[in-house]
Amino acid sequence: MIALAGVLAAAPIAGEPVARMDDKPAPITVVDLQPFRTESAIDVQGADGSSGTAVLINLNPNVSGWFLLRLDFGAARPEQAYHLESVRPDPALSIAAGPRGRLLVNFSDRLPACTLSIADGGGPSSLEAARRSGLPFAPLCDGRLYLRNHTVGRASTLEKVTGFLRDHVWGGAQIVEFVKEEIYKDAFREQGVPAADAGAWAQPESAPAAALLESSQADVALTPPHLGLDVDAPGPRLLLGRWYPLRGLPDAYFSVLMPAAVDHNILYGHEASVNPLTESESSALVYLVAFDLARFELRFTLGTEHPRLGWSPRPPPGSQDPALPGPDGIDSPDPLVITGMVPPADAARTVAAFAGGFKREHGAFRFGALAERNHGSHYGFVEQGVIFSKLQPGLATVMTTVSGEVRMYTWSSADGARLASVRDARQNGVPLIDYDARRNASAPGALVNVWAEGNWSGSANEDLRTVRAGLCEQDSGARRFLVFAYFSSASPSAMARVFQAYRCRYAMHLDMNALEHTYFATYLSQGGRRVVEHLIDGMDVLDRQAGGSLAPRFIGFPDNRDFFYLMRRAGP
């Protein structure tokens, strides 16, 4: 037996190429980016008596959810790598040699060790059988482990066509931009008919803080025309800026607003970093959903294809290194496997999901200070404590900690010391609302109205109005809320004003331009079955039909885009 536990001290610096005898750097993989990984290796025998080595890598012992098992029998057969996911975090998970052709997997519980065949002579091993099952998550060890398998994530027709144009058609990117500017700019813009409402509504004390409105708008209500969520309200008309409970989803709330109703002290303040709003975006509806973070956990998952890991074409040539396949030295998640869906162990507690951030091609800076440093400051992301793209200083970040806390802030170079506590993280541009700890105050980000340096996307003419989604954190007394906002037609300036009105401590952009990029759905239990409700009625076209029923995106089948999901916290 060869003991390599605690190999971290001898491992190469995360992200640095490994030196070879010929002085040329060896290619690195995503495994090399993991600064906390540990390894253990043992001698094993195949069913035919051949000698081999099994190596188990705990990719991040602070999380202990993902493991990589490597089997090497030398020249007799190629090395195999298996990406394993533990149903429960298990820092004590280990391997030991079993009888010939067998591997023992030990867990921290008191159940007997699991036996896996690794090289059967008469057929596929249990690991290979799981790989050939075609399941994104193939159960092993009586369901205590899953083998993560490669799968193809679903993409909408729009996603497929735009991807094809960008990747394979000369001038395709310009065609896509033209379509966005001329066709999709106001395609999803919604308006209601506001009117004074004679009825009184007192929002629950447990709800988030209501929006700050002009006094003349305090009793104005409207009916959101395409709302797909079941709101617990006296009627279809909802007061602007107030919070209403969602039926069937305790501790979650809905609100609707038009930017024109926002308190004018907010609407016309901070002119240096926020543009005046156009008449069109001032009257466009914003739908918001809030979750009490004492009751829900947040998770982040990569899509099967996006965000990619190679270079974005945006950074200037001086910020790119053609000798590297990507800004972190990799352009593929191999040997790890991305499934693009909620893990089975989390599915029962999952109550909502929403689309993540920009693709890699848009997720870096072309202009400004951020374009000139750190290879163009590509947006970083972490799943299950595994770094796929390094978190970059200066970027808006939402993260969950190992202990389950949700944090939103601008990542700094000093935050590298916090990396051990990061479970999931996603960066997306610069902040819409930034928090100043010295002043204990929040304000619009410095680059909200700077199209180029803020990397806000939209047209080169700085026409930034389109359908967008964003995320904010609101502190309301002792309660903290995570707020998802769908803007039917807005610029970053309009997003900042709305988040200010809702007293957000911090806010960031998610994605834009289409319903599939701003998707949000809830999953409710009714009469023993799961019911899917979409924030916007048109979002249901993105979910597959299975036997006449909806198979919801992200939870019912793999998707090619990254996403967040919320789970109700487990009891004591």
Side-chain angles (χ1 to χ4, degrees):
M1 174 176 174
I2 307 170
L4 294 178
V7 75
L8 176 61
I13 298 172
E16 294 295 328
V18 181
R20 296 192 302 194
M21 294 297 291
D22 57 7
D23 293 328
K24 293 182 179 179
I28 67 170
T29 72
V30 68
V31 176
D32 297 299
L33 297 182
Q34 311 316 313
F36 309 111
R37 70 188 187 275
T38 59
E39 301 182 8
S40 60
I42 60 171
D43 294 328
V44 293
Q45 277 192 320
D48 58 0
S50 57
S51 297
T53 303
V55 177
L56 183 69
I57 303 174
N58 184 337
L59 292 159
N60 188 334
N62 302 307
V63 178
S64 291
W66 281 2
F67 301 82
L68 186 68
L69 175 64
R70 296 184 183 273
L71 297 177
D72 185 0
F73 285 91
R77 60 182 76 106
E79 180 185 87
Q80 296 294 320
Y82 303 91
H83 184 177
L84 305 175
E85 180 168 326
S86 179
V87 170
R88 297 181 183 84
D90 193 348
L93 192 144
S94 63
I95 56 174
R100 181 179 290 187
R102 299 288 189 269
L103 181 71
L104 301 180
V105 182
N106 298 298
F107 298 84
S108 58
D109 56 36
R110 296 183 179 181
L111 294 175
C114 163
T115 301
L116 297 176
S117 61
I118 54 175
D120 278 350
S125 68
S126 50
L127 287 165
E128 281 302 310
R131 175 166 284 172
R132 298 178 191 180
S133 69
L135 297 172
F137 296 88
L140 294 167
C141 298
D142 297 323
R144 287 184 282 173
L145 278 180
Y146 287 105
L147 175 66
R148 295 171 62 93
N149 284 319
H150 287 285
T151 185
V152 177
R154 175 192 181 276
S156 69
T157 301
L158 174 64
E159 191 92 322
K160 292 175 182 176
V161 171
T162 56
F164 175 79
L165 288 172
R166 286 195 175 103
D167 293 343
H168 302 289
V169 177
W170 181 83
Q174 287 78 11
I175 296 173
V176 172
E177 291 302 319
F178 173 80
V179 171
K180 288 194 298 185
E181 293 172 30
E182 303 300 325
I183 298 176
Y184 283 107
K185 180 191 301 181
D186 287 320
F188 304 103
R189 182 170 177 265
E190 291 194 25
Q191 286 183 286
V193 181
D197 190 272
W201 167 257
Q203 68 176 39
E205 292 184 4
S206 59
L212 297 170
L213 306 179
E214 271 295 284
S215 57
S216 62
Q217 304 295 310
D219 64 346
V220 171
L222 54 76
T223 301
H226 294 105
L227 178 62
L229 303 180
D230 188 4
V231 175
D232 187 2
R237 297 175 62 79
L238 306 179
L239 289 165
L240 295 178
R242 308 289 179 86
W243 291 99
Y244 295 82
L246 293 180
R247 288 194 179 97
L249 189 51
D251 310 305
Y253 305 87
F254 173 80
S255 185
V256 63
L257 186 65
M258 293 189 305
V262 170
D263 184 335
H264 286 185
N265 290 323
I266 293 174
L267 205 56
Y268 301 110
H270 300 284
E271 286 84 358
S273 63
V274 184
N275 289 332
L277 306 193
T278 66
E279 181 179 350
S280 179
E281 64 184 337
S282 293
S283 60
L285 294 187
V286 182
Y287 292 5
L288 304 97
V289 185
F291 295 87
D292 186 337
L293 288 172
R295 302 287 185 258
F296 298 98
E297 299 179 61
L298 181 70
R299 294 284 188 268
F300 171 73
T301 297
L302 298 175
T304 57
E305 186 175 356
H306 299 291
R308 294 173 180 171
L309 305 180
W311 290 102
S312 165
R314 286 179 177 251
S319 293
Q320 300 189 43
D321 184 348
L324 296 176
D328 297 302
I330 62 173
D331 62 358
S332 165
D334 295 341
L336 303 186
V337 175
I338 305 304
T339 61
M341 66 183 298
V342 174
D346 292 345
R349 288 196 292 133
T350 298
V351 298
F354 54 92
F358 286 119
K359 295 178 179 179
R360 174 47 64 97
E361 65 183 279
H362 302 122
F365 289 80
R366 180 175 290 153
F367 305 104
L370 288 166
E372 301 296 333
R373 61 175 183 250
N374 298 322
H375 294 308
S377 301
H378 289 70
Y379 303 173
F381 29 91
V382 178
E383 182 182 350
Q384 286 262 22
V386 174
I387 300 167
F388 286 91
S389 185
K390 295 178 186 176
L391 302 179
Q392 298 298 333
L395 302 191
T397 306
V398 56
M399 59 168 280
T400 62
T401 67
V402 174
S403 61
E405 184 181 359
V406 178
R407 298 176 183 170
M408 294 183 67
Y409 59 97
T410 302
W411 191 263
S412 72
S413 55
D415 285 323
R418 297 187 182 185
L419 199 56
S421 68
V422 175
R423 187 194 188 282
D424 299 306
R426 177 59 150 111
Q427 295 185 311
N428 224 42
V430 293
L432 290 161
I433 300 292
D434 207 352
Y435 175 72
D436 186 339
R438 293 171 298 179
R439 295 172 46 239
N440 190 28
S442 297
L447 298 176
V448 167
N449 64 352
V450 183
W451 169 74
E453 293 186 24
N455 202 36
W456 294 114
S457 195
S459 74
N461 297 322
E462 302 184 32
D463 190 348
L464 306 180
R465 193 177 73 251
T466 184
V467 57
R468 295 178 183 266
L471 201 62
C472 102
E473 173 196 335
Q474 188 207 84
D475 294 344
S476 181
R479 294 185 175 88
R480 294 179 62 241
F481 293 89
L482 186 72
V483 180
F484 173 90
Y486 169 88
F487 297 80
S488 63
S489 182
S491 66
S493 292
M495 298 176 77
R497 292 308 192 198
V498 168
F499 284 134
Q500 269 186 287
Y502 280 98
R503 298 177 250 197
C504 292
R505 182 179 184 275
Y506 194 93
M508 62 186 284
H509 199 284
L510 289 176
D511 209 342
M512 56 190 279
N513 289 332
L515 287 181
E516 55 260 53
H517 305 157
T518 54
Y519 178 95
F520 178 99
T522 61
Y523 315 116
L524 311 177
S525 295
Q526 293 182 1
R529 63 191 183 96
R530 299 296 291 273
V531 176
V532 186
E533 293 183 356
H534 298 85
L535 179 58
I536 303 296
D537 286 333
M539 291 177 177
D540 59 4
V541 303
L542 300 170
D543 295 346
R544 283 180 173 169
Q545 295 287 333
S549 301
L550 284 175
R553 188 183 186 190
F554 304 134
I555 197 171
F557 54 90
D559 199 89
N560 76 326
R561 296 295 299 269
D562 63 295
F563 64 95
F564 295 88
Y565 62 100
L566 286 135
M567 298 187 295
R568 190 165 291 281
R569 291 189 183 274

